């Protein structure tokens, strides 16, 4: 099993990121303030630590204030054996692939920054915070 692709929408500075990863080693290189640490935070949230002790949890500040529908993080796994296909779950016809998606609510700043212009479902319902779901 390997992590083949990571997607992030509305997470910190990563408004819409889709990164394919290679089997083996992938190197992340970029300028200062380009989002490398945010990318690593996405990986930490989407994967389970080997020792079972999570050190990174979803926080309200992780959702970008302009992300109208909140944040969404997705990991796409490849090369799953039939035994591994149950975690993460792979649907019928996944062909050795599986996904894991986490969703966070809109930022508490979302409605405060542009309430009149916002027409997203979360702002209309008054939901502006809470735990991530996945």
């Amino acid at each position: 099993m390997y992590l083949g692709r990571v997607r992030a929408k509305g997470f910190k500075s990563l408004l819409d990121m889709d990164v394919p990863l290679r089997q083996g080693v992938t190197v992340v290189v970029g300028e200062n303030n380009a989002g490398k640490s945010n990318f690593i935070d996405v990986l930490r949230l989407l994967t389970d630590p080997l020792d079972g002790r999570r050190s990174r949890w979803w926080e309200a500040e992780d959702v970008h204030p302009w992300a109208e529908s909140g944040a969404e993080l997705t990991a796409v796994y490849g090369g799953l054996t039939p035994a591994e296909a149950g975690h993460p779950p792979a649907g019928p016809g996944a062909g050795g692939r599986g996904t894991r998606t986490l969703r966070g609510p809109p930022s508490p700043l979302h409605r405060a920054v542009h309430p009149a212009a916002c027409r997203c479902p979360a702002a209309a319902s008054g939901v502006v915070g809470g735990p991530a779901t996945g």
Side-chain angles (χ1 to χ4, degrees), residues 46-106:
L46 284 170
T47 57
D48 295 327
L50 292 175
D51 65 1
R53 298 177 65 200
R54 182 166 300 281
S55 60
R56 177 68 169 88
W57 299 96
W58 196 286
E59 299 173 11
E61 298 84 29
D62 291 340
V63 180
H64 192 282
W66 296 107
E68 290 185 359
S69 59
E72 182 174 293
L73 310 178
T74 303
V76 180
Y77 296 89
L80 273 70
T81 66
E84 294 168 328
H87 183 72
R97 296 181 60 154
T99 61
R100 181 178 193 180
T101 300
L102 300 174
R103 292 179 183 87

Side-chain angles (χ1 to χ4, degrees), residues 8-32:
K9 292 186 179 195
F11 182 82
K12 293 188 172 188
S13 65
L14 308 175
L15 289 177
D16 192 2
M17 177 200 77
D18 188 350
V19 178
L21 303 172
R22 296 177 164 217
Q23 271 184 286
V25 176
T26 298
V27 177
V28 179
V29 178
E31 298 284 334
N32 288 343

